[in-house]
Amino acid sequence: MTTPDQYAVMGNPIAHSKSPRIHALFAAQTGQHLEYRAILVEPGGFTAAVRAFRAAGGKGLNVTVPFKRDAWVFADLSSARAERAGAVNTLILEPGGARGDNTDGAGLVRDLTANHGYRLAGQRVLLLGAGGAARGVLQPLLMEKPAQLVVANRTADKALELALRFSDLGRVSASGFAELAGRQFDLIVNATAAGLDDAVPALPDGALAPGGWCYDLMYGDEPTAFVRWGREQGAAQSLDGLGMLVEQAAESFHLWRGVWPETGPVIAALRDR
């Protein structure tokens, strides 16, 4: 029997990652002969870890916190969306070099639109945070033609820098949290790390429009702090990022293997678990 092709996810921390289970389910579903594992990488060790993995025959990698910027630097060639984000979450390791891509934003948009039936066109969207997670989802969100997209951050200057970087793609502006008072949004996306402390960004009351939706890029076995906040605000839907995780993984799987897995059964399996 032939040796299975090798794939992995690299990050720190990494023990919590659901990616090995997701890709095992994708492989079983599509009949692909591969193995996928999680690799803990110490700070400063990303390049060496990727080179060792490739030397051992590795075909592709997912990259998570805090190495997405390192992966963008490592890639010999990156997709347009990865260049925009300045971050790579998927590496295709080939004999001639490494190609980088960023599937995070596509995963978010696909979860919202295909899995939940949300229509982004013409909506007022608030994106919380101006770090790597926000950078990864901005272009795909803007490509859906919202009426406006506001990037809000505790440090308004960082939000402004990000808005200017993407201003040619649509109506995008910047704000601090306090300056949001009196404004309402149809969709609020949380791309901050506040949930790691079970906290929520300091949003003013009434920021979510009646019938509005909330979406947290983070996920957990229990509802995240932002998902709970959305429910308290009366959101029509308050969703975590598990669907996004599976959808971005499916896009990575397609980049590596040339086939699209069905994501619905995998999302359902993870929810049941």
Side-chain angles (χ1 to χ4, degrees), residues 6 47 63 70 108 110 113 136-137 183 193 217 225 229 255 260:
Q6 297 297 306
T47 298
V63 182
D70 299 81
L108 168 63
R110 192 172 295 123
T113 59
V137 302
R183 304 182 69 178
L217 301 194
W229 179 87
L255 288 168
W260 282 104

Side-chain angles (χ1 to χ4, degrees), residues 97-138:
R99 288 190 291 124
D101 208 335
N102 191 314
T103 66
D104 285 332
L108 168 63
V109 169
R110 192 172 295 123
D111 190 39
L112 277 167
T113 59
N115 296 336
H116 297 285
Y118 191 80
R119 188 172 181 270
L120 280 156
Q123 303 297 320
R124 298 165 296 174
V125 179
L126 174 61
L127 178 63
L128 305 175
R135 294 169 73 98
V137 302
L138 250 175

